[in-house]
Amino acid sequence: MTDNEWDRIRDILLLEHLKSGQRRCPVKHGNRKVMNGILWIAENGVPRRELPERYRPWQAVYARFRLWKRREIRGGLQRLATNS
C-alpha cells in the first residue's frame, strides 16, 4: 500500500478496539501492516495461515479483519474507492 493510499483510508480504520468485557486497549499490531496483510492474502489467494510474518501473525490479521467486518469498515472503504 502506498503512502497516498494509506493517507486516504487511515482515518476510516479504528486505532483502538474493544475486547469483550475490557476497557479500550491500544492496538498491538499497526493497522497499516494488518491492512497490507489482508491485501496480500486477497491478491495471492492463499489461506491466511500462509501469510508471511512481515505482515504480523496471521491470527492478528484475521482478528482485525473480523473486527473491521463486524463494524462495517469495508463499506466505508468501498465508498472511498468509488469516490476516487
Side-chain angles (χ1 to χ4, degrees):
M1 175 175 293
T2 67
D3 288 340
N4 187 32
E5 291 168 334
W6 176 246
D7 288 340
R8 294 183 67 211
I9 68 167
R10 161 191 342 215
D11 295 334
I12 295 172
L13 304 177
L14 303 174
L15 298 177
E16 295 182 323
H17 67 280
L18 293 175
K19 290 185 178 180
S20 58
Q22 295 181 349
R23 294 177 179 235
R24 287 187 179 261
C25 59
V27 171
K28 183 176 180 182
H29 302 289
N31 283 335
R32 186 170 184 173
K33 283 204 178 213
V34 169
M35 179 57 77
N36 282 331
I38 292 169
L39 294 173
W40 188 90
I41 291 169
E43 289 171 0
N44 290 287
V46 298
R48 62 184 172 259
R49 292 175 190 256
E50 293 183 22
L51 181 69
E53 184 63 29
R54 69 179 178 264
Y55 295 113
R56 302 296 188 228
W58 70 265
Q59 297 92 334
V61 172
Y62 182 61
R64 191 79 50 84
F65 172 78
R66 283 190 351 248
L67 173 72
W68 290 340
K69 184 176 176 184
R70 259 194 328 270
R71 294 192 176 173
E72 298 182 7
I73 300 298
R74 279 187 319 169
L77 294 174
Q78 289 169 343
R79 283 190 299 278
L80 183 65
T82 58
N83 293 331
S84 57

